[in-house]
Amino acid sequence: MKTNSLSSSFLSFLSKSPLVASILFLFFFSCSSDKMTDREKEDESIIEWQSTQTPTDSLSLAHATQFRSYVYPNFRTLEVYDKNKNLQQRYLLYKGETKPKTNFEYDVALQIPLKRIVSRSTKYATFISLLENVDNLVGFVGSQYVSDEQIRKGLDAGKIKEVGNDDGSGVNFEGLLSLEPDAIFTYDASLYGGTSDTQQKMKELGLPMIICNETLESSPLAQAEWIKFFGILFEKEEKATEIFNQVKSNYDSLKNLTANLKEDQKPTLFFNAWYNETWFMPNGDSYVAQFAKDAGAIYLWNDLEGTGASPLAIESVYEKAQQADYWFHASDWKNMNQLISSDRRFVSFKSVKNKKIFNHNKRQLKSGGNDYFESGVAFPNKILEDFIKILHPELIKNKELYFYENLK
């Protein structure tokens, strides 16, 4: 009875003294919050330790500059850079079931090796296949454009699901969610003149995306080295390095064939065709221009600065291009008649008169997909071999063209 009476009196006192009640509440609350569990103390200690550690640059890259990887005490990061070489995305990679606690800033946390993946481009198909991770591929956006045989078998068997297209019909977001992917390999649509609406929608739905900027690399070998990017995510770095080193060795051997050519032995060339009254010509530091140089040719627009391509006035292109020895990537024309019918002025082109026009559509599918843009990314040595075979047939004999064919 006395205890109850004392409690009642104390509560009555507090109700009449709110200031005292507030002070007592803060006192008891601060006392309880100061007591950390052993696990909380351990986590805080790890985070504090991480902030004082210098990361290890874990990746040896010979050509690629658009990504890096760093190792920290209990996790790893993979960084992707934009066209200005600024950080665009950072991925926190960890092993085991528990994501490490850290105050380190990142965009997406990924448990590696990745086990359930979706690809939004055929460009990544060959990397996935070469590293023997097709069984981890559960979905594909625009699967009708894929050339890789292993992936085609998976699609035909229903093991890999079609989840829409980027050709206007749209990505199947509901299908993507149902697949519960660990990651979706995608691209930065703004680099191709598109919008990032699809990526924004994926982000809103909580779908983990990995942006691949291999297209920003300035050389064919730099693009091919992105197999190491995939090697990290699949924990197959050694295999990725082995594959790249073989590609690089083959490429360099081919490049050496033209190393001692004199200027007067090098034919002139140009690329592409007009589109919507504009001629998009590859810039001098683009990977396409690099193929021309390595194959022993003089690229007539080598003075254009930067990677990618520049929009040029049609008239200015005609004036210089009509004297070029070769014309590569002449639109989608199937034959010479189609080309000439599109613009009668082409009749005066030296390359047209001598039938020295070559397109990279020998391995194009009926659906429109083109293996040049698929396996060609991983095997630039095959593209270079075609270039040299076309431009200097005396250097490579008894070999058929792999990606290219002569416009008849």
Side-chain angles (χ1 to χ4, degrees), residues 39 57 61-62 84 175 194 210 220 307 313 369 387 394:
R39 180 55 187 269
D57 188 343
L61 295 174
N84 297 315
I210 298 177
T307 59
F387 263 79
E394 74 281 0

PDB file of all heavy atoms in Angstrom, residues 39 57 61-62 84 175 194 210 220 307 313 369 387 394:
ATOM      1  N   ARG A  39      27.907  -5.960 -30.734  1.00  0.00           N
ATOM      2  CA  ARG A  39      27.851  -5.946 -32.195  1.00  0.00           C
ATOM      3  C   ARG A  39      27.890  -4.511 -32.721  1.00  0.00           C
ATOM      4  O   ARG A  39      28.561  -4.216 -33.710  1.00  0.00           O
ATOM      5  CB  ARG A  39      26.579  -6.658 -32.687  1.00  0.00           C
ATOM      6  CG  ARG A  39      26.437  -6.693 -34.214  1.00  0.00           C
ATOM      7  CD  ARG A  39      27.672  -7.302 -34.859  1.00  0.00           C
ATOM      8  NE  ARG A  39      27.644  -7.212 -36.293  1.00  0.00           N
ATOM      9  CZ  ARG A  39      27.132  -8.151 -37.102  1.00  0.00           C
ATOM     10  NH1 ARG A  39      26.640  -9.256 -36.565  1.00  0.00           N
ATOM     11  NH2 ARG A  39      27.145  -7.996 -38.402  1.00  0.00           N
ATOM     12  N   ASP A  57      44.205  -0.397 -55.485  1.00  0.00           N
ATOM     13  CA  ASP A  57      43.768  -0.446 -56.874  1.00  0.00           C
ATOM     14  C   ASP A  57      44.020  -1.875 -57.343  1.00  0.00           C
ATOM     15  O   ASP A  57      45.143  -2.270 -57.598  1.00  0.00           O
ATOM     16  CB  ASP A  57      44.566   0.549 -57.709  1.00  0.00           C
ATOM     17  CG  ASP A  57      44.019   0.681 -59.123  1.00  0.00           C
ATOM     18  OD1 ASP A  57      43.256  -0.199 -59.542  1.00  0.00           O
ATOM     19  OD2 ASP A  57      44.369   1.650 -59.811  1.00  0.00           O
ATOM     20  N   LEU A  61      44.912  -2.570 -65.806  1.00  0.00           N
ATOM     21  CA  LEU A  61      44.287  -2.286 -67.090  1.00  0.00           C
ATOM     22  C   LEU A  61      45.323  -1.723 -68.056  1.00  0.00           C
ATOM     23  O   LEU A  61      46.032  -0.766 -67.743  1.00  0.00           O
ATOM     24  CB  LEU A  61      43.139  -1.286 -66.926  1.00  0.00           C
ATOM     25  CG  LEU A  61      41.935  -1.764 -66.115  1.00  0.00           C
ATOM     26  CD1 LEU A  61      40.947  -0.623 -65.904  1.00  0.00           C
ATOM     27  CD2 LEU A  61      41.255  -2.936 -66.809  1.00  0.00           C
ATOM     28  N   ALA A  62      45.388  -2.310 -69.240  1.00  0.00           N
ATOM     29  CA  ALA A  62      46.360  -1.879 -70.240  1.00  0.00           C
ATOM     30  C   ALA A  62      45.807  -0.777 -71.138  1.00  0.00           C
ATOM     31  O   ALA A  62      46.554   0.075 -71.615  1.00  0.00           O
ATOM     32  CB  ALA A  62      46.783  -3.074 -71.097  1.00  0.00           C
ATOM     33  N   ASN A  84      33.310  12.542 -69.501  1.00  0.00           N
ATOM     34  CA  ASN A  84      34.292  13.518 -69.040  1.00  0.00           C
ATOM     35  C   ASN A  84      35.246  12.924 -68.010  1.00  0.00           C
ATOM     36  O   ASN A  84      35.982  13.659 -67.346  1.00  0.00           O
ATOM     37  CB  ASN A  84      33.575  14.738 -68.440  1.00  0.00           C
ATOM     38  CG  ASN A  84      32.725  15.461 -69.464  1.00  0.00           C
ATOM     39  OD1 ASN A  84      33.166  15.692 -70.587  1.00  0.00           O
ATOM     40  ND2 ASN A  84      31.504  15.810 -69.085  1.00  0.00           N
ATOM     41  N   GLY A 175       7.842  -8.115 -66.153  1.00  0.00           N
ATOM     42  CA  GLY A 175       8.638  -9.317 -66.390  1.00  0.00           C
ATOM     43  C   GLY A 175       9.987  -9.245 -65.702  1.00  0.00           C
ATOM     44  O   GLY A 175      10.469 -10.240 -65.148  1.00  0.00           O
ATOM     45  N   GLY A 194      19.398   9.118 -76.832  1.00  0.00           N
ATOM     46  CA  GLY A 194      18.113   8.747 -76.240  1.00  0.00           C
ATOM     47  C   GLY A 194      17.902   9.402 -74.884  1.00  0.00           C
ATOM     48  O   GLY A 194      18.660  10.283 -74.473  1.00  0.00           O
ATOM     49  N   ILE A 210      23.541  -2.061 -63.644  1.00  0.00           N
ATOM     50  CA  ILE A 210      24.974  -1.857 -63.820  1.00  0.00           C
ATOM     51  C   ILE A 210      25.163  -1.174 -65.171  1.00  0.00           C
ATOM     52  O   ILE A 210      24.863  -1.747 -66.217  1.00  0.00           O
ATOM     53  CB  ILE A 210      25.746  -3.187 -63.792  1.00  0.00           C
ATOM     54  CG1 ILE A 210      25.568  -3.875 -62.439  1.00  0.00           C
ATOM     55  CG2 ILE A 210      27.223  -2.941 -64.079  1.00  0.00           C
ATOM     56  CD1 ILE A 210      26.239  -5.239 -62.362  1.00  0.00           C
ATOM     57  N   PRO A 220      39.823   0.017 -79.829  1.00  0.00           N
ATOM     58  CA  PRO A 220      39.191  -1.309 -79.863  1.00  0.00           C
ATOM     59  C   PRO A 220      39.637  -2.202 -78.703  1.00  0.00           C
ATOM     60  O   PRO A 220      38.822  -2.914 -78.114  1.00  0.00           O
ATOM     61  CB  PRO A 220      39.651  -1.878 -81.206  1.00  0.00           C
ATOM     62  CG  PRO A 220      39.922  -0.676 -82.048  1.00  0.00           C
ATOM     63  CD  PRO A 220      40.493   0.338 -81.110  1.00  0.00           C
ATOM     64  N   THR A 307      36.291  11.425 -79.020  1.00  0.00           N
ATOM     65  CA  THR A 307      35.755  10.118 -79.389  1.00  0.00           C
ATOM     66  C   THR A 307      34.361  10.325 -79.984  1.00  0.00           C
ATOM     67  O   THR A 307      33.940  11.460 -80.186  1.00  0.00           O
ATOM     68  CB  THR A 307      35.673   9.200 -78.160  1.00  0.00           C
ATOM     69  OG1 THR A 307      34.829   9.820 -77.162  1.00  0.00           O
ATOM     70  CG2 THR A 307      37.049   8.973 -77.548  1.00  0.00           C
ATOM     71  N   ALA A 313      28.089  18.789 -92.371  1.00  0.00           N
ATOM     72  CA  ALA A 313      27.234  19.156 -93.503  1.00  0.00           C
ATOM     73  C   ALA A 313      27.562  18.240 -94.677  1.00  0.00           C
ATOM     74  O   ALA A 313      28.732  17.951 -94.948  1.00  0.00           O
ATOM     75  CB  ALA A 313      27.470  20.606 -93.878  1.00  0.00           C
ATOM     76  N   GLY A 369      19.747  -7.920 -86.097  1.00  0.00           N
ATOM     77  CA  GLY A 369      20.902  -7.995 -85.206  1.00  0.00           C
ATOM     78  C   GLY A 369      22.178  -8.213 -85.996  1.00  0.00           C
ATOM     79  O   GLY A 369      22.159  -8.810 -87.073  1.00  0.00           O
ATOM     80  N   PHE A 387      39.991  -5.481 -91.914  1.00  0.00           N
ATOM     81  CA  PHE A 387      40.461  -4.198 -92.445  1.00  0.00           C
ATOM     82  C   PHE A 387      41.744  -4.385 -93.257  1.00  0.00           C
ATOM     83  O   PHE A 387      41.861  -3.872 -94.379  1.00  0.00           O
ATOM     84  CB  PHE A 387      40.724  -3.218 -91.293  1.00  0.00           C
ATOM     85  CG  PHE A 387      39.599  -2.267 -91.011  1.00  0.00           C
ATOM     86  CD1 PHE A 387      38.482  -2.674 -90.295  1.00  0.00           C
ATOM     87  CD2 PHE A 387      39.653  -0.954 -91.452  1.00  0.00           C
ATOM     88  CE1 PHE A 387      37.451  -1.800 -90.024  1.00  0.00           C
ATOM     89  CE2 PHE A 387      38.623  -0.069 -91.190  1.00  0.00           C
ATOM     90  CZ  PHE A 387      37.519  -0.488 -90.473  1.00  0.00           C
ATOM     91  N   GLU A 394      47.775  -8.159 -99.843  1.00  0.00           N
ATOM     92  CA  GLU A 394      49.051  -8.864 -99.962  1.00  0.00           C
ATOM     93  C   GLU A 394      49.619  -9.278 -98.607  1.00  0.00           C
ATOM     94  O   GLU A 394      50.474 -10.164 -98.517  1.00  0.00           O
ATOM     95  CB  GLU A 394      50.068  -7.979-100.704  1.00  0.00           C
ATOM     96  CG  GLU A 394      50.643  -6.816 -99.919  1.00  0.00           C
ATOM     97  CD  GLU A 394      49.712  -5.609 -99.824  1.00  0.00           C
ATOM     98  OE1 GLU A 394      48.593  -5.670-100.368  1.00  0.00           O
ATOM     99  OE2 GLU A 394      50.114  -4.607 -99.203  1.00  0.00           O
TER     100      GLU A 394
END
